[in-house]
Amino acid sequence: MPCGAGSFPRVSSAPAAVLAVALLSSLSRSSLLEPKDPAVSALSPYFGTKTRYEDANPGLLPDPEAPRRAPELLEETCTPVQLIALIRHGTRYPTAKQISKLRQLHGLLQARGPGEERASAAGGRNLGAALADWPLWYADWMDGQLVEKGREDMRQLALRLASLFPALFSHENCGRLQLVTSSKHRCVESGAAFLKGLWQHYHPGVPPPDVADMECGPPRINDKLMRFFDHCEKFVTEVERNDRALYHVEAFKTGPEMQNILKKVAATLQVPVSNLNADLIQVAFFTCSFDLAIKGVKSPWCDVFDTDDAKVLEYLNDLKQYWKRGYGYTINSRSSCTLFQDIFQHLDKAVEQKRRSQPVTSPVILHFGHAETLLPLLSLMGYFKDKEPLTAYNYKEQMHRKFRSGHIVPYASNLIFVLYHCKNAKTPKEEFQVQMLLNEKVLPLAHSQETVSLYDDLKNHYKDILHSCHASEECELPKVNNTSDEL
């Protein structure tokens, strides 16, 4: 069945969030969130990589299917001829590891003695008791799977991009779309949901077929591109499996900022501070974000923390991303050069085809991956780099840092390259230009801070990466000299 045909008027659909009756009745302090709920505005900016896309892009809240055309996008004198997008999967369940920690914390609360059930000084119900009664609905099978909200993230993104770049996402181009995905289920499912969003764009009101029956699907798995970090021996050995690589993360966990939160939470929940650790505190904070992102619920876990706590916990998460995926180690970003070069190979081919007056073979190329795919690539390109490294000891100095993962790679985050052909160009060099968008907002070029670059200038700025970064060499472990003088 073809991906698109016909010219029906577009119909907007916004499925209402459904909340289980058991969750509604289990605790009076829980609530289905209103758009301007103070709990959302207070804690949501600090959830790091567990941030909802709409919290990083609040302009979408009134109508998440309507495109937002940035005024910086090139006007009609230049025609978009190719779009290459790297898209993080949509909202997901916690991992099995996170669920196990939450279960451990929940068990601590349920094991509290009768004397610990007393009401708080303010006369309200004890928060620890409330949390002990709060349904622990997460199960091991969920393990990072895409949730329905994540599918909605992708469908809506597809609708917006198809409306913003109608010529590229035309019916005629549907069969020429390329979709590449990580092998992880949440990424494969994100790609499928994106295609269903395109179907909705082409056929409003018509139920989509199976992705395998669409002309423009299904996504093709390529982990060497989308999970390059797993295929980089140097990264795996020196960072992924090296306990010392995340020294600053572990040091911050035992530092004064986290220890203050540990004591505060122990007092709030009325459990011995010795029973808690930074990992349990972090999973409690993330549970607030998961309940919000997945079910639209303000759970009592959110009441454990205030904004000062949230800023510290955000920094803990950002430290991990910085040292494991960002600027902490050179190999973090250099391991992504194969993906970067692949993007420019597609752009080069499109430029060459247009110069020969040929149709562009692949007008739209969509990659579905992870925060761990996007962060190294953005670091490789020089974005969100602070003057000083993030460390366990400069939290206060980094309060206004550029590297804030929740603002860069929330769920459904996307980095988009748009290649334009400008027919009225004065010189051949000006004929092809590029813009980049991060989360659908025009991203100033790292080398110029302009909103558009001549394609040749962009290639020249990144010539070292394009010509001198070879994954086979970058990812090779240093050879160890095992020779010995001993007999």
Side-chain angles (χ1 to χ4, degrees):
M1 187 176 291
C3 186
S7 56
F8 300 96
R10 186 172 158 205
V11 179
S12 174
S13 65
V18 179
L19 182 63
V21 175
L23 281 176
L24 275 173
S25 60
S26 63
L27 198 61
S28 60
R29 70 170 65 240
S30 68
S31 60
L32 188 62
L33 289 167
E34 297 297 326
K36 294 183 179 179
D37 189 290
V40 176
S41 58
L43 299 183
S44 291
Y46 309 107
F47 288 144
T49 52
K50 312 301 184 290
T51 298
R52 300 185 301 177
Y53 189 67
E54 57 267 35
D55 289 326
N57 209 339
L60 300 175
L61 288 170
D63 184 356
E65 294 182 5
R68 299 293 188 276
R69 182 174 179 85
E72 303 94 339
L73 282 175
L74 289 180
E75 298 298 329
E76 294 178 1
T77 52
C78 295
T79 304
V81 294
Q82 189 177 57
L83 180 149
I84 302 175
L86 290 97
I87 302 169
R88 185 191 177 195
H89 57 77
T91 307
R92 64 165 176 83
Y93 285 117
T95 62
K97 187 176 180 180
Q98 290 165 333
I99 293 168
S100 175
K101 289 178 181 176
L102 177 59
R103 197 175 286 128
Q104 180 185 348
L105 183 57
H106 197 241
L108 286 176
L109 295 172
Q110 291 183 318
R112 295 161 1 122
E116 295 164 321
E117 295 292 333
R118 60 188 180 276
S120 67
R125 190 180 179 200
N126 175 278
L127 185 55
L131 285 164
D133 292 344
W134 180 251
L136 184 61
W137 59 276
Y138 299 105
D140 289 338
W141 66 263
M142 296 174 176
D143 194 21
Q145 301 283 322
L146 196 70
V147 301
E148 183 54 37
K149 171 63 166 61
R151 293 182 179 89
E152 190 175 284
D153 292 338
M154 293 294 108
R155 288 193 294 264
Q156 292 171 346
L157 178 61
L159 288 167
R160 293 193 300 272
L161 291 181
S163 296
L164 193 58
F165 298 100
L168 293 178
F169 286 93
S170 67
H171 297 166
E172 295 76 18
N173 282 344
C174 181
R176 294 191 288 159
L177 262 64
Q178 279 193 42
L179 286 88
V180 180
T181 179
S182 153
S183 62
K184 292 293 183 181
H185 189 269
R186 55 186 171 272
C187 299
V188 176
E189 286 294 303
S190 289
F194 190 98
L195 287 178
K196 290 181 179 180
L198 289 183
W199 176 272
Q200 182 181 339
H201 176 74
Y202 300 138
H203 302 287
V206 179
D210 290 339
V211 171
D213 295 328
M214 292 184 183
E215 184 182 338
C216 46
R220 177 174 52 88
I221 292 172
N222 187 339
D223 277 346
K224 286 191 175 180
L225 273 186
M226 304 316 299
R227 293 183 63 83
F228 49 79
F229 40 88
D230 284 343
H231 297 266
C232 183
E233 190 178 7
K234 186 174 182 180
F235 169 79
V236 171
T237 302
E238 296 186 354
V239 181
E240 179 77 40
R241 296 177 182 167
N242 181 3
D243 293 339
R244 295 171 302 191
L246 298 185
Y247 163 81
H248 285 282
V249 178
E250 298 306 316
F252 191 71
K253 287 178 181 179
T254 58
E257 295 89 357
M258 279 301 299
Q259 290 304 303
N260 286 341
I261 295 178
L262 207 66
K263 293 171 185 174
K264 175 185 168 183
V265 171
T268 300
L269 302 182
Q270 297 180 6
V271 297
V273 70
S274 58
N275 287 353
L276 297 177
N277 57 46
D279 290 343
L280 292 178
I281 299 298
Q282 190 174 39
V283 82
F285 184 61
F286 283 158
T287 302
C288 168
S289 75
F290 282 124
D291 284 351
L292 169 63
I294 297 170
K295 287 187 173 287
V297 173
K298 175 186 175 287
S299 80
W301 289 107
C302 302
D303 294 327
V304 176
F305 306 99
D306 60 26
T307 53
D308 288 336
D309 302 330
K311 290 175 184 178
V312 172
L313 288 161
E314 179 198 26
Y315 190 71
L316 175 61
N317 186 31
D318 285 350
L319 273 175
K320 179 182 177 182
Q321 301 304 325
Y322 183 90
W323 288 97
K324 195 172 183 179
R325 306 296 175 183
Y327 291 102
Y329 300 100
T330 303
I331 191 58
N332 295 348
S333 59
R334 298 293 281 188
S335 63
S336 72
C337 30
T338 298
L339 176 58
F340 186 79
Q341 291 162 359
D342 184 76
I343 292 167
F344 275 81
Q345 286 166 9
H346 286 297
L347 294 169
D348 279 346
K349 185 176 180 180
V351 167
E352 186 60 29
Q353 288 174 329
K354 286 299 292 183
R355 281 181 174 151
R356 294 181 178 179
S357 300
Q358 298 172 344
V360 175
T361 309
S362 302
V364 176
I365 302 167
L366 306 167
H367 304 79
F368 295 90
H370 309 266
E372 297 90 338
T373 310
L374 281 164
L375 275 177
L377 190 72
L378 286 163
S379 299
L380 185 73
M381 297 172 68
Y383 285 103
F384 307 107
K385 186 173 186 178
D386 294 284
K387 291 182 179 179
E388 297 296 328
L390 277 63
T391 75
Y393 312 109
N394 62 357
Y395 166 69
K396 289 182 179 177
E397 291 81 0
Q398 295 286 13
M399 290 288 283
H400 302 289
R401 63 191 178 279
K402 298 175 185 176
F403 193 92
R404 291 186 66 190
S405 59
H407 292 206
I408 306 167
V409 286
Y411 294 125
S413 52
N414 47 86
L415 175 64
I416 299 173
F417 295 75
V418 184
L419 176 68
Y420 294 90
H421 179 245
C422 303
K423 58 184 178 182
N424 296 329
K426 296 178 181 177
T427 66
K429 186 179 179 181
E430 295 175 352
E431 191 176 353
F432 293 96
Q433 302 184 27
V434 175
Q435 286 190 305
M436 287 190 289
L437 291 80
L438 180 65
N439 302 329
E440 301 172 77
K441 300 170 187 172
V442 173
L443 183 65
L445 284 303
H447 65 285
S448 67
Q449 294 304 303
E450 299 292 335
T451 57
V452 62
S453 172
L454 301 182
Y455 181 56
D456 286 345
D457 288 351
L458 188 65
K459 284 181 65 178
N460 185 61
H461 176 68
Y462 290 118
K463 62 184 178 183
D464 170 63
I465 303 170
L466 292 172
H467 301 298
S468 305
C469 185
H470 305 292
S472 58
E473 297 173 6
E474 299 287 341
C475 291
E476 186 180 10
L477 282 171
K479 288 184 171 60
V480 179
N481 187 351
N482 290 323
T483 59
S484 173
D485 292 334
E486 294 182 10
L487 297 176

